Amino acid sequence: MNSQGEVEIRLATPEEAPLVHSVTLDAFAEYRNLPTPSGALSESLEDVEGLMREGVEQAALCLVDGVAVGSVRFLRSKDGLYFKRLAVRPGFRRRGIARAIVGWLEEYARQNGESVVWCNVRAEIQQNVRLYASLGYEAYDERVVVRSDGARVPVVSMRKAVKPGAEARRDSATGWGGALPGRGW
Ligand SMILES: CC(C)(COP(=O)(O)OP(=O)(O)OC[C@H]1O[C@@H](n2cnc3c(N)ncnc32)[C@H](O)[C@@H]1OP(=O)(O)O)[C@@H](O)C(=O)NCCC(=O)NCCS
């Protein structure tokens, strides 16, 4: 990682929900003016804290010299480890922090017996689709999600095999047939 300072990525405790929430808000603020703003911006601290306390979700934090600059939330689903709200504060971007957090998640998944890591990405935010593709994630589904507020959001589902002891490669034998037809990333 091209990052100055001491970098630590670790699980967040429920007491650290305020840090997770504030990093997320800071990172997703850039989507405030989209026609359909990110749902991350309307989540309250109580929402996030409740999910973490009840064990519905877990979160990880990335700290640089002890300061929280990145976060992600995740849960174990029937399809593997699902993550969302990957977030890096604007002042700390393009240093490989998001890549490192995703790498940490993959290792966490392996150590906990999961063989797949997956996420949903807004189809319109192509740089995020490219980010995950560059990390070995395959797009395998595309659909319109209808949010609880009625907003319709086209999303791409992306996943990666993380077999214990064997790093999966994007072009390797995942058996998942590559990117969606007609998509030129
Ligand atoms: C997306 C996000 C987490 C990336 O964080 P980051 O720490 O800057 O990412 P990295 O430094 O690990 O970058 C990895 C690669 O992603 C790509 N990338 C990241 N941000 C990019 C941008 N703004 N434009 C184009 N490519 C970008 C690049 O390929 C980059 O590699 P490079 O720097 O070697 O070119 C961060 O920009 C963010 O918090 N955005 C707002 C929230 C969000 O969209 N989260 C993802 C939801 S799916």
Side-chain angles (χ1 to χ4, degrees):
M1 192 193 313
N2 176 25
S3 200
Q4 287 162 352
E6 188 173 325
V7 179
E8 181 190 14
I9 300 173
R10 59 163 174 79
L11 277 177
T13 65
E15 290 69 37
E16 290 175 315
L19 284 178
V20 174
H21 185 246
S22 91
V23 170
T24 308
L25 285 187
D26 204 11
F28 281 78
E30 67 186 72
Y31 303 136
R32 195 171 290 286
N33 297 322
L34 288 181
T36 307
S38 169
L41 297 167
S42 51
E43 283 180 318
S44 68
L45 170 58
E46 290 69 33
D47 294 334
V48 176
E49 201 162 25
L51 290 166
M52 290 174 69
R53 280 196 192 287
E54 288 158 23
V56 178
E57 290 185 2
Q58 291 177 280
L61 282 169
C62 175
L63 302 110
V64 174
D65 290 333
V67 176
V69 303
S71 66
V72 69
R73 285 168 35 208
F74 60 97
L75 53 88
R76 315 271 297 267
S77 79
K78 67 176 174 45
D79 298 320
L81 187 143
Y82 169 73
F83 73 89
K84 64 185 199 179
R85 309 286 193 244
L86 178 65
V88 175
R89 289 198 199 268
F92 289 83
R93 292 189 184 164
R94 307 307 293 267
R95 304 180 187 190
I97 289 176
R99 284 178 191 276
I101 294 173
V102 173
W104 181 94
L105 272 177
E106 292 169 5
E107 188 53 33
Y108 183 91
R110 278 187 205 101
Q111 288 183 6
N112 286 278
E114 299 285 1
S115 53
V116 174
V117 174
W118 67 285
C119 64
N120 287 325
V121 191
R122 274 200 190 205
E124 68 190 310
I125 307 179
Q126 279 291 305
Q127 76 257 29
N128 284 345
V129 175
R130 281 195 293 273
L131 164 62
Y132 297 123
S134 77
L135 294 173
Y137 285 74
E138 305 278 1
Y140 68 95
D141 189 26
E142 189 171 14
R143 65 191 181 289
V144 175
V145 169
V146 182
R147 292 197 322 207
S148 54
D149 61 3
R152 299 170 66 80
V153 183
V155 300
V156 178
S157 298
M158 302 186 76
R159 66 185 173 188
K160 178 176 176 179
V162 289
K163 298 198 177 65
E167 180 84 14
R169 295 190 312 276
R170 177 163 195 263
D171 60 348
S172 71
T174 59
W176 287 336
L180 291 172
R183 281 193 167 265
W185 49 60

